[in-house]
Amino acid sequence: MNDLETPLNIKHMREQLDALGLSFSWEREITTCLPEYYKWTQYLFINLFEAGLVYQKEAMVNWDPVDQTVLANEQVDENGCSWRSGAKVEQKYLRQWFIKTTVYAKVNGQETGEKLAAYTYTPEAIYGASHLYVLPNHRLLHGNSSLREVLQSEFIPGKDCLTSVTAVNLLTRQEVPIVISAKSDFENYIDTKIGIPNTNPEDAAVAQNLGLSFSEVIETLPDGLETIVNSGERYWGTPIPIIHCQTCGTIPVPYEDLPVELPNITSFTGKGASPLETVPEWMNCSCPRCKGPAKRETDTMDTFVDSSWYYLRYTDPHNSDRPFNKALADYWMPVDLYIGGKEHAVMHLYYARFLSHFCYDQKMTKHKEPFYKLLVQGLIKSQTYKLTTTSQYLKREEIDLTGTEPVHIKTKEKLQVTWEKMSKSKHNGIDPEELVEQYGIDTMRLYILFAAPPEQDILWDAKTDAVPGVRRWQSRLWSLATKLIEARTSSIVPNPQLLNEKEKAEAKKIWEQKNLVVSEQASQPLILHSAEFEDALATLCIMVAPMAPHIASELWKGLAHVQNKLCTYHKWDDDVLHQSWPKVDPEYLQQPDIIEMSVLINNKACGKVSMPRQVARNAEEVHELILQSELGIKHLQGRPIKKAFLSPRTALINFLVQE
């Protein structure tokens, strides 16, 4: 919290974001580790305390004996070692603070009252549940459940789908997310089961892939036997604004005395459960009520508490009288689209929703739910190197990569090499400045956007040929614009009537498919005299601009200076980022509704099948129609189909079949 490097890191990262051409409203920037922000986190904590929603009790925690600190479950690896020091984590009891989140035990923000009977082979390990697993044919998706519409919209066939819906375990009072299974059936004809990673490898794989957190409930004893253990968390970060008085008991810090700031701690010996206990001049204080001797709470909140309400502070970031103005929060909230990584799916969103519901109950906002829609993006992963003996992550300078296998420079020990989310603690981050310097800003933006759908992970490998491929695409786009500019700067005045019948047919094809990359093989007369070519190229620049604004702006400026334009409906005097988003031409929508779908088998054309235009956009329907067609019966019947790739915009489907 008092880390002097934090402001420098913020400044450095802001410069990187600006260099990448990312646009933010920097006047609304907030810094959660500054007193002017966490003063209001403490204010909300006191409100929670006075509402009876936070309490203290003894509970088991993960203790790092080397760093002398408490670890959350997510900070303990699969071998029971600390993510930072690599030391074997110990279990110990400590008195800590808890938030009574079950008071808002809702499913998708509604108390639906629905109850599900769920199965598990190991009910004794119920405290280690990570998710509730339902089949795609479950009644929640197809019955009269009030959640049907939400779950159906989040379901993707053949994939484990983490939904925004949660359920409360009536035995433990824990809230866990509902996951729609990729499977079509479970064992013993059940359709709902509890995922417990500690006791089921399949559940562990699902939890890992979806980034779900869970409690470690199985401990192996020295004699090899296993025992059930309870696990709890303890959090650190913002000072908890509580004072303990022997006479008055546990009381909150008066609002006018906020914020309670952290003292400057120059060194910490590890004695005691909290570094704050080593600063008696900070810890010892007077009771606000009886004025007698008292002590400050030395426990602190985890940073997730600060981040559980930042979206509300964004609506009114400079307010010094309250966390935010209700009118502003009511105007801006809820957030239209929340984009977050898998690691945010449970911990952050869980508490963000909790705080939002609490603020609603406190009449601070008129909206219960903080987010309209959630997009769980994939992770950008990079290779990590760990010592097998201690599970400690190594920095690049500690690794010898010259041999056939990476080894530790000092000990020559062979290393565990895995793909993991980029993280400072795992020493596998990539500096964007180096990549921008090597490839250019737009190339990197396009690569990240084109490498995979947003919900899938990207394995970042500098040796891949994907980046050069993106650069070649940019070169083709540049070449197209250059050809038009050169053609129009000649002495010949463009005239669409000078095109022959073949060129007019090509112009119509460009008009029909102007949302696609314009063909580089367009003839010189077509480039010179075709309004369709000019419009398609302008449209392409407009659609590329959000992803690659620099090259799009350069191309647009070049096109804007071209004389004798055939398309007068674009705002050529304005920048490309100020253009209206392209719309489908009305004439295009009035075309016949039947199209010819080209069919390829193992990349070889074998004919066409007629079908309705709307059907041509649905992969499953196209697949079925072709299998039932004369062409499908002749060429595909009885042949195992490994995969089918549909391109709706080019009306083409390619079947990969086993020879």
Side-chain angles (χ1 to χ4, degrees):
M1 193 69 76
N2 281 345
D3 187 355
L4 296 178
E5 292 185 6
T6 299
L8 295 177
N9 289 336
I10 292 173
K11 180 176 181 293
H12 182 60
M13 293 184 72
R14 177 170 172 173
E15 290 171 351
Q16 291 179 328
L17 294 171
D18 285 337
L20 285 169
L22 302 178
S23 181
F24 293 95
S25 299
W26 290 114
E27 70 275 6
R28 292 181 179 269
E29 180 184 20
I30 57 177
T31 306
T32 60
C33 65
L34 293 181
E36 52 262 38
Y37 179 89
Y38 70 72
K39 167 184 180 178
W40 301 113
T41 301
Q42 293 171 337
Y43 172 94
L44 292 171
F45 184 94
I46 292 173
N47 284 359
L48 288 167
F49 178 82
E50 293 178 337
L53 297 184
V54 292
Y55 60 97
Q56 274 186 306
K57 72 172 184 178
E58 291 278 338
M60 188 83 74
V61 298
N62 302 313
W63 181 257
D64 185 327
V66 174
D67 284 350
Q68 294 283 297
T69 187
V70 173
L71 302 174
N73 292 324
E74 294 80 8
Q75 294 166 329
V76 181
D77 67 18
E78 64 275 11
N79 299 315
C81 296
S82 168
W83 65 291
R84 188 192 302 273
S85 70
K88 194 72 175 177
V89 172
E90 302 172 357
Q91 300 290 310
K92 64 188 298 185
Y93 273 97
L94 286 176
R95 188 166 179 80
Q96 56 189 302
W97 287 90
F98 290 86
I99 301 176
K100 197 181 294 183
T101 57
T102 52
V103 71
Y104 298 117
K106 296 177 173 60
V107 182
N108 194 42
Q110 306 169 3
E111 290 184 0
T112 65
E114 297 182 47
K115 292 185 178 181
L116 299 179
Y119 182 82
T120 176
Y121 279 115
T122 54
E124 69 278 6
I126 196 73
Y127 280 82
S130 61
H131 60 281
L132 195 65
Y133 220 20
V134 301
L135 291 178
N137 61 0
H138 196 280
R139 67 172 178 82
L140 284 178
L141 283 84
H142 303 283
N144 59 359
S145 169
S146 61
L147 303 170
R148 182 179 62 186
E149 186 176 336
V150 174
L151 291 173
Q152 285 182 348
S153 68
E154 297 176 336
F155 173 55
I156 302 174
K159 179 180 178 182
D160 288 325
C161 302
L162 177 65
T163 73
S164 59
V165 180
T166 58
V168 176
N169 184 327
L170 296 180
L171 294 178
T172 67
R173 307 308 302 172
Q174 292 173 315
E175 190 170 352
V176 294
I178 290 180
V179 174
I180 305 174
S181 175
K183 294 183 172 184
S184 58
D185 62 86
F186 294 144
E187 63 276 10
N188 298 330
Y189 304 101
I190 61 173
D191 63 0
T192 312
K193 70 174 186 175
I194 302 170
I196 304 179
N198 275 180
T199 62
N200 188 311
E202 184 180 88
D203 295 342
V206 171
Q208 182 177 5
N209 290 337
L210 297 180
L212 305 180
S213 62
F214 57 90
S215 297
E216 299 287 342
V217 292
I218 303 296
E219 181 180 343
T220 303
L221 301 175
D223 57 7
L225 296 176
E226 292 183 338
T227 184
I228 300 293
V229 295
N230 294 318
S231 60
E233 296 176 344
R234 181 177 175 276
Y235 302 108
W236 58 94
T238 294
I240 290 178
I242 293 293
I243 290 175
H244 300 282
C245 173
Q246 288 188 345
T247 303
C248 303
T250 301
I251 59 174
V253 171
Y255 288 111
E256 60 269 20
D257 290 344
L258 298 180
V260 178
E261 297 189 40
L262 285 169
N264 290 318
I265 303 175
T266 56
S267 64
F268 175 48
T269 62
K271 297 177 180 178
S274 168
L276 298 180
E277 294 181 10
T278 66
V279 190
E281 63 273 19
W282 180 90
M283 188 173 64
N284 297 321
C285 63
S286 298
C287 174
R289 290 182 183 171
C290 69
K291 308 306 178 185
K295 293 185 181 296
R296 294 190 185 278
E297 171 61 54
T298 58
D299 204 350
T300 52
M301 302 179 231
D302 188 87
T303 53
F304 83 85
V305 182
D306 286 308
S307 65
S308 65
W309 71 281
Y310 71 91
Y311 48 89
L312 289 166
R313 185 66 175 177
Y314 276 143
T315 68
D316 192 12
H318 307 298
N319 196 323
S320 59
D321 297 322
R322 64 189 75 176
F324 49 86
N325 179 277
K326 183 179 186 299
L328 290 173
D330 291 347
Y331 174 80
W332 287 108
M333 295 296 291
V335 176
D336 295 304
L337 176 63
Y338 181 92
I339 304 175
K342 294 175 183 177
E343 71 280 11
H344 290 162
V346 177
M347 179 66 79
H348 170 64
L349 291 178
Y350 181 68
Y351 284 97
R353 293 183 64 218
F354 170 78
L355 258 296
S356 183
H357 280 247
F358 176 71
C359 289
Y360 171 83
D361 278 358
Q362 295 288 307
K363 305 292 190 292
M364 296 172 70
T365 63
K366 73 173 183 180
H367 302 288
K368 280 187 179 181
E369 290 294 336
F371 315 122
Y372 269 129
K373 187 175 181 182
L374 167 67
L375 170 61
V376 180
Q377 67 186 30
L379 303 175
I380 299 182
K381 296 182 176 181
S382 184
Q383 286 185 315
T384 58
Y385 301 86
K386 288 197 299 185
L387 290 171
T388 305
T389 51
T390 64
S391 295
Q392 182 181 353
Y393 290 93
L394 297 180
K395 299 178 181 178
R396 288 294 190 271
E397 57 266 26
E398 299 175 298
I399 306 163
D400 182 358
L401 297 170
T402 58
T404 55
E405 292 183 280
V407 297
H408 190 197
I409 289 179
K410 290 182 179 179
T411 65
K412 303 304 178 186
E413 176 186 342
K414 290 183 180 179
L415 305 176
Q416 293 180 17
V417 183
T418 54
W419 290 94
E420 297 185 69
K421 175 195 171 186
M422 289 187 185
S423 167
K424 184 178 179 181
S425 63
K426 296 176 181 177
H427 311 299
N428 67 334
I430 303 295
D431 190 341
E433 289 182 354
E434 297 177 8
L435 296 168
V436 166
E437 187 176 341
Q438 183 177 359
Y439 296 110
I441 294 168
D442 283 351
T443 303
M444 295 314 304
R445 288 170 61 107
L446 288 168
Y447 168 68
I448 292 171
L449 291 169
F450 291 169
E455 68 275 6
Q456 291 185 10
D457 294 342
I458 298 176
L459 302 183
W460 191 276
D461 187 353
K463 298 176 183 177
T464 180
D465 62 353
V467 173
V470 170
R471 298 193 74 177
R472 288 193 296 271
W473 183 86
Q474 287 177 279
S475 297
R476 290 198 298 272
L477 180 59
W478 190 273
S479 176
L480 284 171
T482 301
K483 286 181 179 180
L484 178 65
I485 293 169
E486 290 176 348
R488 295 292 178 84
T489 53
S490 65
S491 58
I492 304 174
V493 177
N495 183 358
Q497 301 305 317
L498 296 178
L499 296 175
N500 59 36
E501 291 303 313
K502 181 181 179 182
E503 290 164 342
K504 287 180 180 178
E506 290 176 3
K508 184 180 179 183
K509 187 176 181 181
I510 290 174
W511 173 79
E512 289 177 340
Q513 301 183 357
K514 69 178 177 180
N515 289 335
L516 300 175
V517 177
V518 183
S519 170
E520 196 174 10
Q521 305 304 316
S523 64
Q524 187 66 18
L526 195 66
I527 295 171
L528 176 59
H529 300 296
S530 166
E532 290 83 357
F533 185 93
E534 181 183 309
D535 178 38
L537 188 54
T539 299
L540 184 57
C541 286
I542 294 170
M543 298 182 76
V544 165
M547 298 175 284
H550 304 87
I551 188 173
S553 295
E554 287 291 327
L555 292 173
W556 188 265
K557 286 294 183 184
L559 295 175
H561 287 94
V562 167
Q563 301 298 313
N564 302 313
K565 290 189 182 67
L566 299 173
C567 298
T568 57
Y569 43 82
H570 293 297
K571 299 176 183 177
W572 293 106
D573 292 335
D574 294 340
D575 188 78
V576 67
L577 292 169
H578 294 155
Q579 303 300 314
S580 299
W581 194 252
K583 296 180 180 179
V584 177
D585 295 318
E587 307 96 295
Y588 180 76
L589 295 174
Q590 296 170 5
Q591 292 187 110
D593 287 329
I594 301 299
I595 66 167
E596 298 294 313
M597 178 69 67
S598 298
V599 181
L600 282 69
I601 298 178
N602 290 343
N603 302 312
K604 294 180 181 179
C606 65
K608 294 186 177 183
V609 174
S610 300
M611 62 183 62
R613 182 179 300 278
Q614 294 304 317
V615 171
R617 297 183 176 277
N618 187 302
E620 290 184 8
E621 293 187 27
V622 171
H623 192 288
E624 191 61 31
L625 273 177
I626 290 175
L627 288 181
Q628 295 173 1
S629 70
E630 186 177 340
L631 181 149
I633 294 172
K634 179 180 178 181
H635 294 285
L636 293 169
Q637 196 171 57
R639 302 177 70 181
I641 298 173
K642 295 190 289 187
K643 208 159 191 178
F645 299 93
L646 173 68
S647 175
R649 290 177 293 183
T650 56
L652 179 149
I653 187 169
N654 185 11
F655 289 91
L656 300 184
V657 302
Q658 188 173 329
E659 296 291 355

